[in-house]
Amino acid sequence: MFTNISWGSYLTAAVIALVVWYAAVIIKFYSGNLKKILSGETKIRLPFFKNTKEGHAVQNTIKSSFSGSFETLEDAEQLSIRIEQAAAESAEKGLSKEQFQNYLSMLLDEYPYVKISSLRENINKLMVSESSKYPGLQLTLSEADSLWEGSVF
């Protein structure tokens, strides 16, 4: 019976069995990673291609290591948009300077990580520049910085 099976047929069947076995193992244990790779969320990183796309590899490594920093940058961008809207809305509604400061203070409380980041100074400058567009709401840098600590009352 075994003499009727050629070595070619045996090796073909063995290779097919190995492929099916490893496919089952990969699907069972790495299905989450496989979905991310197929959807394009992550890319396959092969060590011998590291030098050809070194910039992308470094960028991905930095981004994964400091994801909190990138989230803080996104928060700062959202906060800057909201500050611009708040200044325009406060001027449109005719709010007093104290009411405007309380409004800004409530906005700043929603972004605690921006408060402790290096972007705080840029946000302070933005608050001063946006408030200077409306004479009744004009803030100084020290007033803008004090808004991070709480409401004005």
Side-chain angles (χ1 to χ4, degrees), residues 95-102 136-140 143:
L95 297 180
S96 68
K97 183 176 179 178
E98 290 78 22
Q99 291 172 324
F100 175 60
Q101 288 176 323
N102 283 329
L137 304 176
Q138 192 166 8
L139 298 173
T140 63
E143 288 173 331

Side-chain angles (χ1 to χ4, degrees), residues 1 5 82:
M1 178 175 162
I5 300 172
R82 292 186 67 190

Side-chain angles (χ1 to χ4, degrees), residues 28-45:
K28 177 157 178 76
F29 294 107
Y30 298 102
S31 62
N33 294 344
L34 189 60
K35 286 179 186 176
K36 288 180 182 177
I37 290 170
L38 293 176
S39 69
E41 289 179 37
T42 59
K43 300 202 185 280
I44 298 173
R45 292 187 204 125

